[in-house]
Amino acid sequence: MKVLVIGATGMAGSAIVTAALAAGDQVTANGRSAEKLADLKAANPDIEVLAKDAFDLTKEEIAVFDVVVDAFSAPSAPYLQIDLAAQLVKFLRNEPKPRLAFVLGASSLTTGEDNHLLLDDLAKVPGAEAWIGIPQSQVFELEFLRHVENVSWFGLSPANEFVAGPADPQPLQAQDTLLINDKGESKTTSGTLAEALVAEYHNPKYPNSRFTVANH
């Protein structure tokens, strides 16, 4: 498959590049920093690079791919994650491909006996006002996507803790519920998320919906 990874130099994006290559895909890595993309290509010589702001990508540029992965992150302006999702959806209304894959946050997952959003717990953390805009935007992004029916998409959320690391060979998986393993941990490594995302676009099980994975 021909795959475009937006935000390819980040923790999630770079792991997805590696997993996609391992699956035999033709990968194009997108990012704003030509220097970071050069480093990524040095580690993954088989990729193509596209140094360009994600918002400057055109419909014609993305139409040649089978899958477009949105691993874009904008901590200083979280609303841009919603804006980019909306732009990609706009480009692909009623188009058969590419399929859009979104790396979403854990804040939209439900937890507790009352199935409240994890976002509610995060908002109670001391000092949350400094960073709560990021998980809030991730919740809004998923709400937007859930109203999109004429574009092929799926979303993938990590567990509460998302860290760099290799893939778990036996990950936990659910649809919308925050996963906690037998050790009381709610953690997803970048390798686990990447392999689950690549597996989903090769063998779709969650059309136009979100799922979540965690390390066991």
Side-chain angles (χ1 to χ4, degrees):
M1 287 189 171
K2 294 188 66 175
V3 179
L4 172 67
V5 181
I6 300 172
T9 60
M11 181 172 68
S14 58
I16 292 165
V17 167
T18 300
L21 287 173
D25 296 323
Q26 300 176 45
V27 181
T28 297
N30 166 251
R32 287 181 296 177
S33 171
E35 182 178 354
K36 290 181 180 179
L37 286 171
D39 291 340
L40 185 65
K41 185 170 177 62
N44 303 276
D46 292 334
I47 67 171
E48 299 294 329
V49 297
L50 179 58
K52 193 172 188 178
D53 189 292
F55 287 92
D56 293 331
L57 294 170
T58 66
K59 179 177 181 178
E60 291 72 26
E61 284 175 316
I62 69 172
V64 301
F65 295 96
D66 299 301
V67 179
V68 173
V69 179
D70 180 358
F72 174 82
S73 178
S76 61
Y79 59 85
L80 291 177
Q81 293 180 211
I82 306 168
D83 291 351
L84 181 58
Q87 178 165 302
L88 293 172
V89 165
K90 178 183 177 181
F91 284 160
L92 298 178
R93 291 287 188 186
N94 297 307
E95 297 291 342
K97 70 168 193 174
R99 189 179 187 200
L100 297 177
F102 295 92
V103 177
L104 303 169
S107 55
S108 56
L109 296 168
T110 59
T111 186
E113 293 183 1
D114 60 350
N115 289 320
H116 64 273
L117 292 183
L118 177 62
L119 177 65
D120 298 340
D121 295 338
L122 297 177
K124 298 174 184 176
V125 176
E129 61 276 4
W131 48 264
I132 198 66
I134 298 172
Q136 283 176 334
S137 290
Q138 292 168 336
V139 169
F140 298 153
E141 182 180 7
L142 179 58
E143 288 181 357
F144 162 69
L145 290 171
R146 281 176 166 161
H147 290 85
V148 174
E149 298 180 348
N150 55 356
V151 173
S152 179
W153 68 271
F154 73 92
L156 177 56
S157 289
N160 190 27
E161 184 182 359
F162 183 47
V163 297
D168 187 324
Q170 296 179 312
L172 305 174
Q173 189 166 307
Q175 181 103 46
D176 293 310
T177 305
L178 180 71
L179 291 166
I180 300 173
N181 64 22
D182 292 340
K183 295 173 281 189
E185 300 171 333
S186 181
K187 179 175 72 173
T188 305
T189 53
S190 55
T192 295
L193 180 136
E195 289 200 356
L197 186 143
V198 171
E200 171 59 23
Y201 68 66
H202 276 282
N203 298 287
K205 297 178 180 179
Y206 296 95
N208 288 50
S209 59
R210 182 271 305 273
F211 70 106
T212 181
V213 291
N215 288 45
H216 79 281

